[in-house]
Amino acid sequence: MSDKKIPLAGVIGCPVAHSKSPQLQRHWLETHGIAGHYIPMHVEPEDLETVIRTLPKAGFVGVNVTIPHKEAVMKIADKVTDRAKLMGAANTVIFRSDGSILADNTDGYGFITNLHQGAPDWVPGSGPAAVLGAGGACRAVVASLIEAGVPEILLSNRTRDRAEQLQKEFGKRIQVVDWVLAGNIIEEAALVVNTTSLGMVGKPRLRVPLDGLKPHMVVTDLIYSPLKTDLLQAAEDVGCTVVDGLGMLLHQAVPGFERWFGQRPDVDDATRAAALR
Ligand code: NAP
């Protein structure tokens, strides 16, 4: 019998039952023939540190962390990547062979990689991006758009202060526009991104006027439930290139899997089907 350790990984959240990560990661483990396991773990905030420090002793090579642990885990980690510091949150933890704990954030990577995959003709320098929302996920979107070379980001959020905070942190390429004028920023954009939760199952509808949409635009939504939001449907009706939010979820999981299990998985139709199962 082999005494080789079977690598373990998982997702820690509270709650965690809704997470699509287990079926996704298990699909990749199966596809690559890796004898590993990926486990959902419901962990209360007061137990987070004990659990994180114990898992490597039980054979864990890393974990994803989700709400409400994304900020707290950065205080437990020995090292936090620059991109996680920039986001103020981590979603991927790596237990390194020297015993140290590394916290990373792969949401920005997931967003931009999904955008390039879904809209291969989109050129970052082609024009402004209109971004709706200024919450946690928006930080990753803004950071990755700036890094990609988008010349201007027109940012509109119901709570203007949050958009102005992002402008302070990310600089002059961001122009803040009042939420009541959100429809106007769409008219000027080459790329439209919804980072609000409006349009998600169980949430109110996105009521921003969409008559500024034109066929040459790329439109993407972070929401993946439903897969085709009203925004994406309206954009598709006009002839825009549309990119749904599921791909972001799948791509953000790639770096973790690669670090933990040593192989880089593909995000393809079979991966999407596995996540939707
Ligand atoms: P969050 O931090 O709670 O931010 C929510 C955003 O929605 C804020 O900009 C908020 O505006 C806005 N909003 C909420 N209710 C609103 C309303 N009634 N009217 C106008 N604006 C409203 O959430 P988040 O973590 O950024 O997530 C946002 C969405 O992205 C969620 O649907 C989430 O599922 C999705 N997401 C997807 C992925 C993926 O991998 N595809 C990753 C992360 C998040 P205020 O600032 O005014 O409250």
Side-chain angles (χ1 to χ4, degrees), residues 67 70 107 132-138 157-160 162 179 194-198 200 203-204 221-224 245-250 252:
I67 290 166
K70 287 180 160 195
D107 275 342
L132 305 172
C138 185
N157 189 49
R158 174 181 62 174
T159 309
R160 191 181 164 105
R162 284 182 101 181
W179 185 238
N194 177 37
T195 78
T196 74
S197 48
L198 296 173
M200 190 175 157
K203 301 280 181 186
D221 205 321
L222 264 52
I223 292 168
Y224 52 83
L246 182 65
M248 173 177 172
L249 182 79
L250 307 181
Q252 63 79 31

Side-chain angles (χ1 to χ4, degrees), residues 17-147:
H18 66 284
S19 174
K20 289 190 184 296
S21 296
Q23 63 233 55
L24 165 64
Q25 299 271 344
R26 285 170 190 163
H27 164 74
W28 283 337
L29 284 168
E30 223 169 83
T31 308
H32 290 272
I34 297 169
H37 297 287
Y38 188 95
I39 298 148
M41 290 170 276
H42 183 115
V43 176
E44 298 294 333
E46 61 272 25
D47 298 326
L48 181 68
E49 179 155 7
T50 311
V51 171
I52 290 277
R53 295 204 183 284
T54 306
L55 287 177
K57 298 174 193 165
F60 276 76
V61 288
V63 284
N64 288 122
V65 283
T66 185
I67 290 166
H69 303 312
K70 287 180 160 195
E71 288 93 31
V73 77
M74 296 206 300
K75 298 196 185 93
I76 301 166
D78 300 297
K79 190 174 185 307
V80 177
T81 61
D82 288 344
R83 57 186 184 176
K85 283 183 196 153
L86 196 66
M87 311 292 163
N91 65 353
T92 305
V93 173
I94 294 131
F95 301 135
R96 297 196 288 197
S97 50
D98 65 1
S100 64
I101 298 172
L102 174 70
D104 191 12
N105 189 312
T106 62
D107 275 342
Y109 165 83
F111 170 75
I112 206 81
T113 310
N114 182 43
L115 192 54
H116 282 303
Q117 186 179 39
D121 295 332
W122 174 67
V123 177
S126 61
V131 177
L132 305 172
C138 185
R139 302 181 75 83
V141 168
V142 165
S144 62
L145 289 177
I146 288 176
E147 197 187 348

Side-chain angles (χ1 to χ4, degrees), residues 120-240:
D121 295 332
W122 174 67
V123 177
S126 61
V131 177
L132 305 172
C138 185
R139 302 181 75 83
V141 168
V142 165
S144 62
L145 289 177
I146 288 176
E147 197 187 348
V150 168
E152 189 181 16
I153 296 173
L154 307 165
L155 185 63
S156 187
N157 189 49
R158 174 181 62 174
T159 309
R160 191 181 164 105
D161 285 0
R162 284 182 101 181
E164 285 177 347
Q165 182 57 36
L166 286 180
Q167 184 188 39
K168 255 188 222 148
E169 288 177 45
F170 289 95
K172 289 202 173 359
R173 265 199 264 173
I174 297 184
Q175 300 294 325
V176 176
V177 176
D178 267 347
W179 185 238
V180 285
L181 300 175
N184 297 3
I185 66 173
I186 290 176
E187 283 173 24
E188 298 170 44
L191 169 72
V192 178
V193 188
N194 177 37
T195 78
T196 74
S197 48
L198 296 173
M200 190 175 157
V201 169
K203 301 280 181 186
R205 292 179 61 194
L206 178 72
R207 294 194 184 278
V208 170
L210 300 175
D211 33 334
L213 288 172
K214 311 223 174 52
H216 69 272
M217 296 176 178
V218 174
V219 180
T220 185
D221 205 321
L222 264 52
I223 292 168
Y224 52 83
S225 182
L227 263 186
K228 193 169 284 174
T229 58
D230 289 349
L231 169 65
L232 294 187
Q233 185 61 63
E236 195 175 273
D237 292 346
V238 169
C240 304

